[in-house]
Amino acid sequence: MKLFKKIALFEGLSLLLLLFFAMPMKYIFNQPEFVRVIGMAHGLLFIAYIGLAIMCKSEEKWDNKNFVIICLASIVPFGTFYIERKYLSNA
């Protein structure tokens, strides 16, 4: 569970960096290299987040509703921070 919490934090940070730094750098300043680097890191962290969520579902005995909420939070800015506080804070 500790690894999932760390991945959730880094996944959330990478999404924020992608949306609020890399994308403006690409479309405002015409520097797409930030999207390539941060986007790759975010993609790998997203896959790790979902994979670990699947493993934690049975380990932590999450019901389907909580599992879907936890997975969907990874695509919403600040979503993983909410999940960490609401669902993972006692782990």
Side-chain angles (χ1 to χ4, degrees), residues 51-71:
L52 287 170
I54 291 168
M55 291 192 313
C56 286
K57 182 184 187 302
S58 62
E59 191 176 296
E60 299 295 321
K61 297 185 180 21
W62 293 339
D63 61 12
N64 288 334
K65 178 185 172 192
N66 286 344
F67 174 70
V68 168
I69 290 169
I70 288 168
C71 288

Side-chain angles (χ1 to χ4, degrees), residues 1-11 49 52 56 80 84 88-91:
M1 183 61 86
K2 286 184 180 184
L3 178 61
F4 183 67
K5 288 176 70 168
K6 287 180 184 178
I7 293 295
L9 171 69
F10 290 128
E11 197 279 335
Y49 179 88
L52 287 170
C56 286
T80 58
E84 197 279 326
L88 309 175
S89 62
N90 57 354

Side-chain angles (χ1 to χ4, degrees), residues 4-57:
F4 183 67
K5 288 176 70 168
K6 287 180 184 178
I7 293 295
L9 171 69
F10 290 128
E11 197 279 335
L13 289 173
S14 71
L15 178 60
L16 294 177
L17 279 173
L18 186 63
L19 293 176
F20 298 115
F21 174 72
M23 297 299 282
M25 291 301 287
K26 178 179 179 178
Y27 291 109
I28 296 171
F29 300 107
N30 199 26
Q31 295 183 343
E33 59 272 6
F34 293 106
V35 172
R36 287 188 202 110
V37 173
I38 296 171
M40 175 63 77
H42 172 68
L44 293 172
L45 287 165
F46 175 78
I47 291 168
Y49 179 88
I50 296 299
L52 287 170
I54 291 168
M55 291 192 313
C56 286
K57 182 184 187 302

